Amino acid sequence: MRILVVEDEADLQRQLAERLRAEGYVLDTAGDGAEGLYYGSEFDYDAAIIDLGLPKLGGIELIQRLRAADRRWPILVLTARGDWRDKVAGLEAGADDYLTKPFQMEELLARLHALLRRAAGFASPVLACGPVELDMARKEVRRQGEPVEVTAYEYKVLEYLMLNPGRVVSKTELTDHLYDQDFERDSNVIEVFVGRLRKKLDPFNPIRTIRGQGYRLNVEAGG
């Protein structure tokens, strides 16, 4: 999952980047609102974390411009301000949730997970497709209730497909959301991951190949 982090406090930006990458997220970071607008306008993300008190372009205006440009991914606002009016302004500008600084990183991760799954139409942290389940909180995959051992990238592939149920996802899109931009990209690697997942999930494999287009999660049968 690719996340945009727009935060001007260097230490906090570094801490966020380190923790999110450790959790398996791919991310771009920006130190001001103008740079955040560039990234948000040029690239696609699964979610964004945006500080309200940004230089060059304030967080409220940044969110408004992103929404005006039809960027619909969830936005989590960070603010050091205690005034409830600032929180309301962020939400009315188009943000989906907020955290007041200082905060615990575990709470930020929990809120981010919630935004991602709600955007996909899931209320629970356990995503289900037939007998195949993916637990976002525990980073686990289960088949008929039994754990399935998967690698970090196999998990990422399945998570992205399950958060985009019924939609055809191209290899290029998967690569963009699984790897940092400077990673040497090879679509054949995606094929390997999908092939391994199918073997591990059989006979309930929910991943379908759409010739010439990519992959789609079979949301009806899950197998």
Side-chain angles (χ1 to χ4, degrees):
M1 308 296 286
R2 182 172 289 275
I3 309 296
L4 173 62
V5 175
V6 190
E7 170 58 61
D8 64 313
E9 295 181 28
D11 287 342
L12 179 55
Q13 185 191 107
R14 176 183 53 78
Q15 292 169 14
L16 286 168
E18 289 178 354
R19 185 59 186 274
L20 288 168
R21 288 192 172 106
E23 292 291 323
Y25 291 102
V26 175
L27 57 136
D28 294 317
T29 58
D32 59 65
E35 187 180 20
L37 180 61
Y38 166 76
Y39 277 113
S41 300
E42 294 295 321
F43 304 103
D44 188 29
Y45 296 94
D46 298 296
I49 300 172
I50 298 176
D51 182 29
L52 286 188
L54 295 170
K56 296 187 179 180
L57 182 68
I60 297 294
E61 186 174 354
L62 171 58
I63 295 168
Q64 290 173 333
R65 291 196 185 187
L66 290 173
R67 292 311 193 208
D70 203 29
R71 297 298 187 264
R72 299 183 179 181
W73 15 266
I75 294 176
L76 175 63
V77 159
L78 302 181
T79 176
R81 306 167 186 173
D83 193 332
W84 62 269
R85 295 177 183 82
D86 293 318
K87 299 170 185 177
V88 170
L91 295 172
E92 289 186 341
D96 300 275
D97 198 359
Y98 67 86
L99 269 178
T100 301
K101 300 176 185 177
F103 54 83
Q104 295 295 322
M105 199 65 72
E106 286 70 21
E107 182 179 2
L108 180 140
L109 291 171
R111 288 178 181 271
L112 181 59
H113 290 163
L115 290 177
L116 289 168
R117 68 175 186 260
R118 287 171 188 163
F122 294 96
S124 167
V126 178
L127 314 183
C129 183
V132 176
E133 296 179 338
L134 184 144
D135 191 327
M136 294 182 68
R138 297 185 177 186
K139 301 290 184 182
E140 292 180 351
V141 176
R142 295 186 289 269
R143 180 189 58 197
Q144 284 194 315
E146 295 296 323
V148 177
E149 290 190 12
V150 296
T151 68
Y153 279 106
E154 289 166 1
Y155 176 92
K156 287 182 180 183
V157 169
L158 185 60
E159 179 186 54
Y160 191 79
L161 291 174
M162 292 191 80
L163 286 172
N164 291 273
R167 185 170 71 82
V168 177
V169 178
S170 69
K171 294 178 187 177
T172 299
E173 182 177 345
L174 274 171
T175 302
D176 286 343
H177 289 257
L178 264 61
Y179 295 113
D180 284 315
Q181 291 182 4
D182 57 355
F183 188 88
E184 184 177 350
R185 303 180 176 208
D186 183 354
S187 63
N188 291 330
V189 175
I190 299 296
E191 293 180 9
V192 171
F193 293 151
V194 171
R196 289 176 181 172
L197 276 171
R198 283 174 168 155
K199 290 180 180 179
K200 293 178 179 181
L201 298 178
D202 274 345
F204 307 106
N205 165 48
I207 304 173
R208 297 290 178 263
T209 297
I210 308 301
R211 186 178 295 275
Q213 298 182 55
Y215 304 102
R216 182 177 63 201
L217 199 75
N218 183 352
V219 296
E220 295 181 357

